[in-house]
Amino acid sequence: MKKKMAVAVAALVTACAVEATEYRIDESKSLADVNALGLNPGDRVLFRRGGVWRGQLLPKSGEPGRPVVYGAYGEGAKPVIEPSLEKNAVDDWKDAGNGLWRAETGTKEDIGNIVFDHGAAGCAFKRDKLADVKGELDFWCDPKTRSVLLRSDRNPAERFSSLELCECVHAVLSLGGHDIDIDGLWIRYAAAHGVSASKVARFNVRNCDISWIGGGYLYYDKEGNGVRYGNG
């Protein structure tokens, strides 16, 4: 009887392992779609190499020995996860006078950084107060409206081919998750942390590129100066 039961249990474990599903994600699916997937332990969520996904990735948990894997498939550059706003159009920027250009963001959180030409032209210089936006490519984010004012000698979209406004959110966020593998992704343009994992277990990040992270305000000190933060 015990032998038959052991065989039955082994067969059940094998059947469960076979049931793991691989999801291949191209740009027709958003991160909201990915986050809504009903995943099981052992499932693999693979993003197409060369693709870009905007927003925040919220990985699901697996179980010991059977993590949920978020990785890549195909050829080319690592798939990109970025929670930034693209402001590349001339119409995205309005002349605010006195050498300043305004972009509306509609974000809930602070804009902590502006990356030009995907980093090839560097980034802007965040200032705590509008009065301190004096140097070329200084910027300020209005804490009430989240609009951005950037000092530039001309429309920023005429000066740079790419402007990524980095919101103070985490690109990948797990609260209490477990048995999760993040493998082979390019995580960038988050003004908080690239990967934020709190109270997690067996949470692994491997073979990832993490760049242009941090710069958002964690809080303001007594003098009204913003205290910035962010880790890969």
Side-chain angles (χ1 to χ4, degrees):
M1 183 65 180
K2 289 183 178 180
K3 183 176 181 181
K4 289 182 179 179
M5 184 177 293
V7 171
V9 171
L12 179 59
V13 171
T14 301
C16 289
V18 171
E19 289 174 3
T21 302
E22 180 175 286
Y23 298 86
R24 294 200 167 194
I25 308 299
D26 61 22
E27 289 90 332
S28 67
K29 299 293 185 181
S30 68
L31 284 181
D33 295 327
V34 172
N35 294 336
L37 289 173
L39 301 178
N40 296 309
D43 284 354
R44 294 165 58 82
V45 179
L46 305 181
F47 296 90
R48 188 185 67 80
R49 285 182 173 271
V52 176
W53 285 265
R54 290 186 181 274
Q56 186 179 64
L57 177 62
L58 304 172
K60 300 287 180 64
S61 296
E63 64 184 20
R66 301 184 67 207
V68 172
V69 177
Y70 292 83
Y73 76 93
E75 299 180 355
K78 292 176 180 177
V80 172
I81 306 296
E82 58 183 26
S84 55
L85 287 78
E86 184 180 61
K87 293 293 182 180
N88 300 342
V90 169
D91 289 344
D92 288 335
W93 297 90
K94 306 301 181 185
D95 190 345
N98 194 32
L100 297 175
W101 295 84
R102 181 188 304 274
E104 303 298 338
T105 68
T107 61
K108 180 181 177 181
E109 304 298 337
D110 176 51
I111 299 298
N113 199 2
I114 303 175
V115 180
F116 304 124
D117 294 341
H118 297 294
C123 64
F125 302 94
K126 185 174 176 67
R127 303 304 181 192
D128 292 331
K129 303 176 181 66
L130 179 57
D132 294 333
V133 181
K134 300 176 180 178
E136 190 70 0
L137 301 182
D138 283 358
F139 84 97
W140 174 73
C141 179
D142 189 322
K144 295 181 179 179
T145 66
R146 300 304 186 197
S147 61
V148 164
L149 283 162
L150 172 67
R151 183 169 295 282
S152 176
D153 60 9
R154 58 190 182 279
N155 188 306
E158 295 177 340
R159 183 171 180 175
F160 304 104
S161 61
S162 168
L163 295 101
E164 295 286 342
L165 277 59
C166 306
E167 186 181 3
C168 188
V169 297
H170 312 302
V172 180
L173 174 63
S174 180
L175 301 175
H178 56 87
D179 302 288
I180 298 167
D181 285 357
I182 310 294
D183 191 354
L185 304 182
W186 186 358
I187 300 165
R188 67 186 187 185
Y189 305 159
H193 300 321
V195 179
S196 179
S198 177
K199 298 182 180 179
V200 298
R202 298 175 297 281
F203 186 102
N204 301 300
V205 180
R206 302 186 179 95
N207 307 312
C208 291
D209 293 335
I210 302 177
S211 59
W212 295 105
I213 299 298
Y217 287 150
L218 183 61
Y219 63 90
Y220 290 87
D221 65 18
K222 294 180 180 179
E223 286 72 40
N225 300 309
V227 177
R228 304 173 76 186
Y229 80 118
N231 294 307

